[in-house]
Amino acid sequence: MGDESGVARYHLSIPKSEDPRLRVPDAPDVGDDSFRGDQLRLLGSAVRVAGQGIAILTPAVESTGPRVAFVNNGFCEMYGRVRDEVIGQPLLVFGIVERQHSIFEAMLNHVFDRNAFEAEVTAQRKDGSEFELELQIVPVEDSGELTHWVSFLRDITDSKNQIVTLRHQALHDVLTDLPNRMLLFERLEKALETARTEKTLAALLLMDLDRFKEVNDTFGHHFGDVLLKQVAIRLRNQLQPSDTVARLGGDEFAMVLTAPADMNAIALAARRSLDTLQQPFVVEQQVLEVGASIGIAVYPTHGTDARTLLRRADVAMYAAKQANAGYSFHNQELESRTPDQLSLVVEMRGAMERDEFELYYQPKLHLRSGLMTRAEVLLRWNHPQRGLLAPVSFIPLAERTGLIKSITDWVLDRTLQQCREWHDGGAPVHVAINISPKSLQEQTLPSKIQTALDKWRIDPRFLKIEITESSIMADPAHALAIMSLLQSMGLRISIDDFGTGYSSLTNLRQLPTDEIKIDKSFVIGMNDSDADLAIVRTMIDLAHNLGKQVCAEGVEDEATWVRLGEMNCDLAQGYWISRPKPAAPFMQWLHDTSWGLKR
Ligand code: C2E
Ligand code: CA
Ligand code: CA
């Protein structure tokens, strides 16, 4: 507004009007500004009926300022006034509201200095109603002398409202009308700026509802939506007006606390948020209980920029979820992980939706017949930046953060889907999947497996579960119970990485297993190390004495293959036979190889 440099000075000839008070100088007959008489008349009627408001004012006469000499129809309509009420009035006629008197004064100053002026203001109509006005007033000169002012007025209420609406839509979540991720980020950065200058704290709380997916699955999305709206209202209600609650999508919410007194105050706010969700929700006569987990990162303790705080709050949230702790601050233990891992946790959460995980298959061969008995399913992550990741670089992290559960579900589902496809295509492949210790502890594992088997119509004997010796030893009683249950369901069970977990012989005898896999660390070097060879031989005999099959993993050369055959080992798996491959190349391998498929 009022930026002189940006405002063009108009040198206009004013048309003759019927209004006798408007004295129009003769049109100078130079350049584009010159008009003939008929053109002037045309211009005059154009001005009268123009869509925007136009006013012509006399030059400022000392203290009184310019006065209205002419207004067009548009002007009268805009203000709800008749022409007679307007003619002869000073600049107050523009109706700039009282609260914008500084703009009015700026306009006066420009006018007294004979400068053009332009501004967006709020103006009042005759009836007192307000509208948004774009106002221009420009001096008209003739031979260097100021003769009149012309003012152009445009009602911009609609377009302004539209911009406000568009901005609102871009920055808010449609369902709950809470700020969205983008606005949260803006607010967080603003809060950090204030905290920096005023040397206060600022806190970011990330919240994820527990069991929301179940609600959605059981009652439907509409139901879930209603619930989310109620959650939004409760969260909003218990925060200070200066704090922000945002919905980040799904069942994830975030809160920014500005200038909390200390860590206690932050913990209290987290506690209150959890408490407010504690009271049951009622959606369509259904009573629902919804828990939540909150991760907290505080400026400046846990980070000084928005991105870091978001990442750390996210990690803390998973820690809270895993520990069933309600809320959890970002802590030293999490801090000690490399930044690489921190961001990996965040990325891993979206990896499944983005379909970045992929299953690889590696055959297990029957040593005597050379037939493939089964394929082990090995997970890979096609990371968009880091490339193909092996499980060692993300499974342990997934275990610590609880993400392993959904990964296991995914692996199970996709594996059986793949089996279905192969079986339908005439290749009755048996598969083995790896179950991590965390998933083994999950009470619902057997029912999940059953559901997946039913879904893809796969006979349980096609599926083997590989459980590491050490995860069994972590809680032998529980492992025994789960393994027995799985076996009774008709599944095959294998003890993985055998030889590394110090299980006692008694334990081994009791465990319901079909197979023992000798850890590759013994197999890889067995032709060069008498000790390893002795261990492998002992393990083979031991397994046979207990009536179980033995599989040697890590067979990297033919000599090892031959040696294992001589020692009566049952099965072999390793790079020499085939590296793990994605489904299609794996099928191709099976098709091309001289080794066949055991049916
Ligand atoms: P594992 O169950 O012991 O799987 C065998 C590993 O040995 C695989 O590594 C395989 O690629 C590798 N391997 C196979 N043959 C040879 C060989 O001749 N020489 C050598 N040096 N290595 C060989 P990978 O795929 O990197 O998997 C590592 C571990 O990650 C697996 O060890 C398993 O514990 C875990 N894992 C893999 N997929 C999954 C999964 O879907 N869920 C869970 N919970 N864990 C998985
Ligand atoms: Ca395995
Ligand atoms: Ca293994």
Side-chain angles (χ1 to χ4, degrees), residues 396-460:
L397 202 58
E399 285 243 339
R400 286 209 296 273
T401 53
L403 273 172
I404 190 68
K405 285 181 189 154
S406 32
I407 291 181
T408 302
D409 295 352
W410 186 90
V411 170
L412 184 62
D413 189 68
R414 289 301 171 94
T415 299
L416 296 179
Q417 180 182 19
Q418 186 61 71
C419 275
R420 179 77 270 140
E421 210 174 282
W422 284 335
H423 293 191
D424 289 347
V429 178
H430 291 66
V431 288
I433 61 171
N434 292 285
I435 293 292
S436 75
K438 262 272 140 44
S439 292
L440 191 65
Q441 281 161 23
E442 228 185 316
Q443 293 294 342
T444 53
L445 181 70
S447 72
K448 273 181 179 172
I449 293 176
Q450 191 58 56
T451 309
L453 287 168
D454 293 345
K455 176 178 172 193
W456 297 108
R457 294 172 290 114
I458 300 292
D459 191 304

Side-chain angles (χ1 to χ4, degrees), residues 4-38:
E4 294 163 41
S5 58
V7 177
R9 281 177 161 242
Y10 292 79
H11 294 269
L12 281 183
S13 302
I14 306 301
K16 278 207 171 13
S17 153
E18 314 95 321
D19 193 322
R21 276 165 295 192
L22 181 61
R23 291 202 326 271
V24 178
D26 287 341
D29 59 356
V30 284
D32 291 344
D33 283 352
S34 61
F35 297 98
R36 294 198 313 275
D38 53 342

Side-chain angles (χ1 to χ4, degrees), residues 77-147:
E77 275 160 25
M78 202 175 278
Y79 284 94
R81 293 182 185 275
V82 295
R83 200 168 265 122
D84 282 351
E85 294 175 90
V86 178
I87 302 296
Q89 296 297 315
L91 288 175
L92 283 171
V93 78
F94 291 149
I96 298 176
V97 293
E98 189 65 36
R99 59 181 185 275
Q100 293 182 348
H101 66 93
S102 59
I103 301 182
F104 182 75
E105 276 157 22
M107 176 170 70
L108 275 187
N109 288 336
H110 276 72
V111 166
F112 281 117
D113 292 345
R114 290 186 169 205
N115 283 327
F117 178 80
E118 178 177 328
E120 282 182 15
V121 297
T122 305
Q124 238 172 9
R125 299 190 186 87
K126 185 181 179 181
D127 64 7
S129 61
E130 295 185 355
F131 66 103
E132 295 304 308
L133 175 68
E134 185 187 85
L135 172 69
Q136 278 178 305
I137 177 162
V138 291
V140 181
E141 291 173 0
D142 184 29
S143 317
E145 206 182 308
L146 179 70
T147 60

Side-chain angles (χ1 to χ4, degrees), residues 364 376-378 432-435 466-468 494 496-497 517 553 573:
K364 290 189 196 178
E376 180 174 5
V377 180
L378 297 160
I433 61 171
N434 292 285
I435 293 292
E466 296 195 0
I467 305 169
T468 61
S494 172
D496 206 351
D497 299 349
K517 288 183 87 172
E553 58 175 31
Q573 175 183 357

